[in-house]
Amino acid sequence: VAVRRIMAGSMPNTMSFKQGLSLWCPHSASLNRISRSSIPSRSFRRCFVTASSFANENREYVVVGGGNAAGYAARTFVEHGQANGKLCIVTKEPYAPYERPALTKAYLFPLDKKPARLPGFHTCVGSGGERQTPDWYKEQGIEMLYEDPVTGVDIEKQTLTTSSGKLLKYGALIIATGCTASRFPEKIGGNLPGVHYIRDVADADSLISSLGKAKKLVVVGGGYIGMEVAAAAVAWKLDTTIIFPEEHLLSRLFTPSLAQKYEQLYQDNGVKFVKGAKIKHLESGSDGRVAAVKLEDGSSIETDTVVIGIGAKPAVSPFDMVGINNTVGGIEVDGMFRTSIPGIFAIGDVAAFPLKIYNRIARVEHVDHARKSAQHCVKSLLTAHTHTYDYLPYFYSRVFEYEGSSRKVWWQFFGDNVGEAVEVGNFDPKVATFWIDSGKLKGVLLESGSPEEFQLLPKLARSQPSVDKAKLQNASSVEEALEIAQASLTAV
């Protein structure tokens, strides 16, 4: 019986068979050349486990999760010739991995506005790659286990248990479980009919069903989800209100001045805002569906549909014993996405990783990081690649992109929004904001830029050049401000 070593660096004592046999034996220099005839039968019985009940044929590499990170990990395994017969992906969804940002953007458009639908946005089309449909995974020899989330892990035995009771074996395990939506408690109406959360296709389909019958929509949360859902709701011609506790939209990134410009655009499209508000509970009507949002100040907003977009939590269960970062949440990893347990990795939203450029531990909930962390992790696993992940934070949003929209909006941000903000432009046609800390440019946001202008942003944010703040403040246009910033690169 020929045997094959797998994951020599992380599990030197473990062997696996394609046919479903596994064994544990002591270290041996000749392990790769063991034959049954060369081992006494008694020793053989001690070392070798007879036919196992493992449900996955492909056991060398197992990815848990079916989002962006899993899709880009799969592509990287294929690029290195290590997918066919070796890679298994386990997901709670019925779909192959897809580009999740589409769900709060084009997927929510009305049918007459050409909404996005699968298979149109399977990974890796978001970065210009091949569309990885379910057939693609079959063609690549990747084993896909759908609609069966992992519920338990045995680190010593290197096995996983799924909700259906399957027992899975792994050599190397990549955790790519992403996040779950933060929910309102049931006691304040968080589970009422007509109340929606968006993390997957089923959530989005349920919301679309409600939007088709809705007259009044309340969006709770002034972040990415709230802004994108409200913009899509305009295409449905709904009476839309956004409620949030902060003083302005996207307070984690936007300055008050920048937020005011976006808020005006939304108001011009009929969207109303209730700022600085705290919700007491959601009220149901006589039919049991949500009928109003009750605020702590005693006021009430009538509605028939509510979307909750108040953030997300890293989906660490059942892997919390692997090592959680208590500051940023998520599973703590090093610069190659290795956890504290040999042979176990974590990528994407769920990973708490060293943000090298700013010398801090971070957890980034964004598609760009999901893609890049997956690629970096798999390259580190399969090759002699030992470079530390050197990520530059990047965020973007696209809204009002449907046909007939008075203005399509697309902004990009690179870097860190620390220090003093300098805003240039009046939003018509574009606006830029530069964050300067101790004389150095730390971050930059641009709305409605050209492709060449957008390409400049990461160069500026990564180089962190010294800039003349007064010159930026006196710039007569966004173009002039970007030229001033670009000129500062030559002095770096």
Side-chain angles (χ1 to χ4, degrees):
V1 180
V3 298
R4 178 164 49 96
R5 289 193 73 167
I6 62 173
M7 287 303 295
S10 61
M11 41 173 293
N13 300 34
T14 308
M15 320 300 294
S16 86
F17 289 90
K18 176 80 174 175
Q19 290 78 14
L21 301 179
S22 65
L23 65 135
W24 182 94
C25 285
H27 289 279
S28 170
S30 60
L31 212 51
N32 282 328
R33 297 185 297 277
I34 290 177
S35 67
R36 183 165 183 165
S37 60
S38 68
I39 304 177
S41 59
R42 187 174 297 173
S43 299
F44 189 91
R45 283 195 295 271
R46 280 202 304 267
C47 282
F48 284 73
V49 178
T50 54
S52 69
S53 58
F54 300 133
N56 58 324
E57 290 186 8
N58 300 354
R59 294 168 193 157
E60 198 150 343
Y61 310 109
V62 173
V63 176
V64 178
N68 276 282
Y72 282 79
R75 181 172 76 172
T76 312
F77 274 109
V78 169
E79 289 170 348
H80 287 81
Q82 293 295 308
N84 195 342
K86 298 180 179 181
L87 176 61
C88 174
I89 297 178
V90 192
T91 172
K92 66 181 181 180
E93 293 200 56
Y95 306 101
Y98 53 86
E99 305 281 358
R100 204 169 295 274
L103 295 180
T104 53
K105 299 178 178 70
Y107 200 90
L108 294 184
F109 294 171
L111 290 177
D112 63 343
K113 303 293 185 184
K114 298 181 179 179
R117 290 291 182 270
L118 287 174
F121 57 97
H122 280 299
T123 61
C124 295
V125 295
S127 61
E130 183 179 3
R131 182 179 289 109
Q132 298 170 190
T133 63
D135 285 342
W136 180 88
Y137 289 89
K138 291 177 185 175
E139 291 164 5
Q140 301 300 333
I142 298 171
E143 185 176 10
M144 297 293 297
L145 301 180
Y146 296 104
E147 297 185 272
D148 203 4
V150 169
T151 56
V153 56
D154 188 320
I155 292 171
E156 290 188 5
K157 294 181 180 178
Q158 293 179 254
T159 58
L160 303 167
T161 306
T162 70
S163 64
S164 71
K166 289 187 177 73
L167 185 65
L168 311 179
K169 183 71 176 172
Y170 66 84
L173 171 65
I174 299 178
I175 303 166
T177 45
C179 287
T180 58
S182 295
R183 302 177 69 91
F184 270 15
E186 184 175 6
K187 64 182 180 182
I188 66 166
N191 294 342
L192 286 174
V195 176
H196 297 270
Y197 306 83
I198 303 184
R199 286 303 297 184
D200 56 33
V201 169
D203 293 338
D205 285 342
S206 176
L207 175 57
I208 289 168
S209 177
S210 284
L211 293 177
K213 309 165 192 170
K215 292 187 172 66
K216 295 184 177 183
L217 171 69
V218 167
V219 180
V220 180
Y224 292 96
I225 299 294
M227 291 181 68
E228 292 174 1
V229 169
V234 169
W236 290 83
K237 297 180 171 57
L238 302 181
D239 180 337
T240 302
T241 302
I242 306 180
I243 302 173
F244 48 88
E246 299 84 10
E247 294 305 313
H248 62 78
L249 277 179
L250 202 59
S251 59
R252 285 187 298 171
L253 177 60
F254 287 175
T255 63
S257 175
L258 187 61
Q260 190 278 328
K261 292 174 171 58
Y262 285 95
E263 288 169 12
Q264 187 60 56
L265 173 67
Y266 276 74
Q267 288 169 335
D268 290 345
N269 279 279
V271 178
K272 292 168 282 191
F273 292 98
V274 180
K275 306 177 191 179
K278 294 184 178 179
I279 294 173
K280 187 176 181 181
H281 62 265
L282 308 179
E283 296 181 340
S284 60
S286 57
D287 59 355
R289 286 181 58 88
V290 65
V293 178
K294 188 82 169 180
L295 304 182
E296 285 193 353
D297 65 6
S299 62
S300 186
I301 301 170
E302 289 186 9
T303 185
D304 50 54
T305 304
V306 173
V307 177
I308 310 291
I310 56 173
K313 299 175 182 177
V316 296
S317 180
F319 302 104
D320 39 10
M321 79 287 289
V322 172
I324 304 300
N325 182 286
N326 293 323
T327 303
V328 299
I331 298 170
E332 188 154 339
V333 297
D334 66 9
M336 289 183 282
F337 297 95
R338 299 176 298 193
T339 70
S340 60
I341 308 297
I344 300 183
F345 305 77
I347 58 176
D349 292 5
V350 78
F353 67 97
L355 188 56
K356 183 178 178 181
I357 190 171
Y358 302 129
N359 192 31
R360 65 174 185 255
I361 300 297
R363 199 175 55 76
V364 176
E365 296 174 10
H366 195 264
V367 61
D368 181 61
H369 165 64
R371 296 167 179 166
K372 290 176 178 174
S373 63
Q375 292 163 334
H376 190 96
C377 173
V378 176
K379 285 178 184 176
S380 299
L381 172 60
L382 299 179
T383 71
H385 173 278
T386 57
H387 305 302
T388 295
Y389 187 58
D390 190 9
Y391 184 66
L392 177 67
Y394 163 57
F395 298 95
Y396 76 92
S397 188
R398 304 170 68 127
V399 292
F400 296 110
E401 288 194 305
Y402 45 83
E403 289 183 5
S405 170
S406 59
R407 177 176 180 178
K408 296 175 174 62
V409 168
W410 184 21
W411 59 260
Q412 293 189 29
F413 167 82
F414 286 87
D416 204 9
N417 59 327
V418 295
E420 183 179 352
V422 175
E423 187 179 297
V424 182
N426 59 6
F427 201 65
D428 185 16
K430 61 178 66 173
V431 65
T433 302
F434 303 86
W435 280 266
I436 302 169
D437 192 33
S438 300
K440 293 186 177 296
L441 181 61
K442 291 289 189 176
V444 57
L445 180 146
L446 177 62
E447 165 62 49
S448 299
S450 67
E452 294 75 21
E453 289 170 338
F454 280 135
Q455 288 169 13
L456 174 62
L457 305 190
K459 297 175 184 176
L460 292 170
R462 186 170 286 284
S463 299
Q464 302 179 46
S466 296
V467 294
D468 189 326
K469 184 175 69 176
K471 278 188 178 181
L472 279 181
Q473 290 171 327
N474 292 326
S476 60
S477 65
V478 170
E479 289 81 2
E480 182 183 345
L482 289 172
E483 286 175 6
I484 293 168
Q486 186 171 20
S488 69
L489 287 173
T490 59
V492 174

